[in-house]
Amino acid sequence: MRAHRAINLWLGAALVLPMIAIAAISLIWTPYDVTLLDVGNKFAPPSPSHWLGTDQLGRDVASLLMSASVNSLTVAFVAVGMGGSLGVMLGLLASAFGGWVETLVMRLADLGFAFPALLFAIMLATAFGPSLSNAILAIAFINIPVFARVARGAANQVWTRDFVLAGQAAGLGRARLTFDHILPNIAAPIIVQATIEFAVAILAEAALSYLGLGAQPPLPSWGRMLSEAQTLMYLAPELAIYPGLCIIIAVLGFGLLGDGLRDVTDPRLKQVRA
Amino acid sequence: MSALLDIRGVTRRYPQPRRHLLHPEPPLVAVNDVSARIAPGETLGIVGESGSGKTTLARMVMGFETPDEGQVLFDGEDLHDLSAAALRQRRRAFQMIFQDPYGSLDPRRSVGWSVAQPLRAIGQTSNRRAVEDVLHRVGLDPADGNRFPHEFSGGQRQRIAIARAIASRPKLIVADEAVSALDVSVRAQILNLLMDLQEEFGLAMLFISHDLSVVASLCDSLLVLRGGRTVEHGPAQDILAAPATEYTATLLAAARLDPPTGVPA
Ligand SMILES: Nc1ncnc2c1ncn2[C@@H]1O[C@H](COP(=O)(O)OP(=O)(O)OP(=O)(O)O)[C@@H](O)[C@H]1O
Ligand SMILES: [Mg+2]
């Protein structure tokens, strides 16, 4: 039982950590400059000088993938960070006040759930033009209701605990109790959710960039590499396979990591183990 | 003598889920027109079977819940008539010890942090000495303040909870089944500690238990509840010596069958 859970965690970490390391390295070094075009050397096969060959413009594919990983991780981090913090705040608010405040926040969350991110991104793109920041906003937006729900559910459980009553008996108000007791005690489910949403955000960024609603040229992005490679599918299928694999590894990695973290931190499962 | 705590005809109803489409379920009356008084330094015991409304009454006394009818007067003020801010200010004077020593301490906070909480709430931020004193007073090592709840046994945790409850120098302690979750051998220690503290600080206590043998040695007066109603109310010695109802007699008999929890006088 325990080994099975640990597998998710370790597998996720094994996929995610090298990816983060590669992204970090690419900030200071990539084999080639990703803006460097070498049209004379396009569609080069993998070789010691170009590990994964070159694309239709003669750019080094390995360098492009490395740089694009930074883009993916940054977008996911910023979007989940923004949407997550806002969602957690709303969830804590709903839980602390209950009554009509809670009803209002949760109905708004339902509304947000019913609203596809893609639609929102297209709306933003129509209104303000397609851009990476609009894609981030759209992904952040879908994260708000997710985190509001998780935070409120977890917080409602903590509010019933005796140590919160003890804090109330000490004369603390709802805001103080929320910061002193509720937030620290819902950190685990929030972190788990954030890891899972990270995977969703990476996929969403790839999808939006694929549709031209995300990263704009010349910023490298897995999603855009995929859409550019699409027209060359018969000529050079590997150009689509590489970014596709990267997306799969990232999404799978963060998904497994999140599942693994949840299994390790969920007290209900812990009791089974004990 | 003026009462420190004056419970005046409190009633608390809980709405019940509808079971029939056409007939709304009548609300459950958890506490039904209960009155009691506690003078400073005195102990009132509340006994009754499970579900008789003991905890609900304690929650109303602590201001966690508002009675549907009646009043709770503390030091002459109706707690449920005060503004939220005023009530928060009064709270330092009445504290609670909870039944479950595993749930009443925040697992993510150090023991010292939890014990200092009531002091911080009244603006005493440099309270290191006070915390050490109070930990020492309940029989713990003052250095234990840096440790976390999971490092302690149930009895030790209840000592920590008691330390927190007396830190703000309250006049009243509400103890809801404060020793029920503890091993029989530890119970006597905790009860003795409570009695010592009561003497030392002139604490009044509202002591709740379903076990009459625990309250017998501790209480001046006794309130016997059943189904939210008062069954008997009076000096503890009188009720214990000659229970007026079958119900109390049964509770008493049950207590005598239990192995003695032994609170040596
Ligand atoms: N929040 C609530 N909502 C609905 N019903 C409640 C609530 N709290 C208590 N009750 C009901 O009120 C009645 C009295 O409960 P209470 O917890 O006061 O009993 P008790 O005397 O403390 O019992 P025990 O010895 O088991 O702790 C019970 O029937 C209980 O189911
Ligand atoms: Mg109870």
Side-chain angles (χ1 to χ4, degrees), chain B residues 25-249:
Chain B
E25 206 69 19
L28 180 128
V29 188
V31 173
N32 196 342
D33 191 20
V34 171
S35 299
R37 293 155 72 93
I38 306 181
E42 219 183 56
T43 301
L44 169 69
I46 301 183
V47 290
E49 62 192 3
S50 185
S52 55
K54 306 180 297 288
T55 296
T56 307
L57 187 61
R59 290 173 59 88
M60 289 191 285
V61 168
M62 287 302 297
F64 295 148
E65 229 167 293
T66 313
D68 294 302
E69 278 162 40
Q71 289 134 18
V72 177
L73 273 65
F74 187 84
D75 251 348
E77 286 179 309
D78 184 351
L79 285 185
H80 300 282
D81 214 30
L82 294 170
S83 71
L87 175 60
R88 284 218 299 275
Q89 270 194 337
R90 308 290 192 279
R91 281 191 175 283
R92 63 176 298 189
F94 48 99
Q95 290 287 305
M96 184 154 180
I97 302 168
F98 296 86
Q99 169 171 2
D100 176 14
Y102 291 85
S104 66
L105 297 168
D106 189 333
R108 301 199 174 265
R109 299 292 188 176
S110 73
V111 163
W113 188 97
S114 288
V115 172
Q117 189 175 46
L119 297 174
R120 276 195 308 274
I122 53 177
Q124 289 181 28
T125 40
S126 51
N127 44 37
R128 223 191 132 75
R129 275 299 304 276
V131 170
E132 285 175 359
D133 283 352
V134 83
L135 281 175
H136 179 71
R137 184 61 199 85
V138 299
L140 291 167
D141 185 345
D144 285 344
N146 297 321
R147 296 164 66 192
F148 283 80
H150 70 262
E151 301 174 48
F152 294 89
S153 70
Q156 287 173 316
R157 288 188 207 206
Q158 207 58 315
R159 287 177 190 272
I160 297 166
I162 292 171
R164 171 178 59 191
I166 61 170
S168 63
R169 295 296 144 98
K171 296 180 190 169
L172 172 72
I173 296 263
V174 176
D176 185 1
E177 307 271 13
V179 296
S180 313
L182 303 178
D183 288 344
V184 173
S185 56
V186 184
R187 266 185 209 181
Q189 296 172 12
I190 297 293
L191 287 174
N192 282 331
L193 173 64
L194 282 173
M195 285 162 85
D196 290 348
L197 291 171
Q198 177 167 35
E199 208 158 299
E200 189 176 332
F201 298 112
L203 283 169
M205 275 214 291
L206 185 66
F207 197 91
I208 297 177
S209 179
H210 61 270
D211 183 354
L212 255 176
S213 65
V214 170
V215 297
S217 52
L218 204 61
C219 299
D220 302 303
S221 53
L222 215 52
L223 175 68
V224 185
L225 289 182
R226 180 184 207 179
R229 289 178 181 278
T230 305
V231 175
E232 282 187 64
H233 183 201
Q237 292 320 314
D238 297 359
I239 293 179
L240 292 171
T245 61
E246 184 90 5
Y247 178 67
T248 313

Side-chain angles (χ1 to χ4, degrees), chain A:
Chain A
M1 197 65 200
R2 173 165 198 163
H4 161 73
R5 271 202 300 277
I7 279 176
N8 276 355
L9 191 69
W10 293 122
L11 218 60
L15 292 174
V16 160
L17 291 179
M19 176 160 284
I20 293 176
I22 288 172
I25 290 170
S26 78
L27 286 175
I28 45 172
W29 177 82
T30 51
Y32 289 84
D33 182 351
V34 291
T35 56
L36 193 74
L37 309 185
D38 182 4
V39 188
N41 190 23
K42 61 184 178 184
F43 298 124
S47 68
S49 55
H50 293 286
W51 303 334
L52 297 176
T54 61
D55 71 355
Q56 70 279 11
L57 299 173
R59 290 173 296 190
D60 180 55
V61 171
S63 303
L64 282 171
L65 291 174
M66 282 175 74
S67 289
S69 69
V70 177
N71 177 55
S72 275
L73 294 177
T74 315
V75 169
F77 188 78
V78 175
V80 174
M82 288 198 317
S85 337
L86 206 60
V88 169
M89 280 199 292
L90 284 171
L92 286 174
L93 192 79
S95 179
F97 285 92
W100 67 266
V101 179
E102 186 168 21
T103 312
L104 181 73
V105 170
M106 287 304 119
R107 289 300 83 79
L108 284 177
D110 290 343
L111 213 64
F113 263 115
F115 209 80
L118 200 55
L119 197 65
F120 189 66
I122 292 171
M123 272 172 49
L124 280 178
T126 334
F128 307 107
S131 73
L132 191 61
S133 47
N134 285 343
I136 294 178
L137 278 185
I139 300 170
F141 178 79
I142 50 163
N143 272 293
I144 297 173
V146 177
F147 281 89
R149 265 193 194 175
V150 173
R152 177 252 192 180
N156 277 355
Q157 280 188 2
V158 181
W159 274 106
T160 65
R161 307 278 299 275
D162 280 348
F163 60 77
V164 181
L165 276 183
Q168 196 186 339
L172 303 178
R174 278 186 273 223
R176 187 84 253 158
L177 291 172
T178 296
F179 282 109
D180 281 0
H181 291 302
I182 312 295
L183 197 53
N185 280 287
I186 65 168
I190 297 296
I191 290 169
V192 167
Q193 194 66 37
T195 312
I196 293 170
E197 292 307 317
F198 219 84
V200 177
I202 285 174
L203 193 61
E205 188 276 334
L208 291 175
S209 294
Y210 174 84
L211 294 172
L213 300 172
Q216 302 298 312
L219 194 64
S221 142
W222 294 333
R224 235 195 40 257
M225 289 172 75
L226 205 55
S227 76
E228 284 170 8
Q230 198 179 16
T231 51
L232 309 163
M233 259 321 257
Y234 294 102
L235 201 59
E238 72 276 10
L239 289 184
I241 291 172
Y242 293 141
L245 271 179
C246 287
I247 294 170
I248 291 173
I249 291 172
V251 172
L252 199 65
F254 280 104
L256 286 173
L257 190 64
D259 274 353
L261 281 176
R262 182 181 48 211
D263 294 345
V264 183
T265 58
D266 193 327
R268 274 167 301 179
L269 294 175
K270 228 181 250 166
Q271 270 159 15
V272 173
R273 187 172 66 203

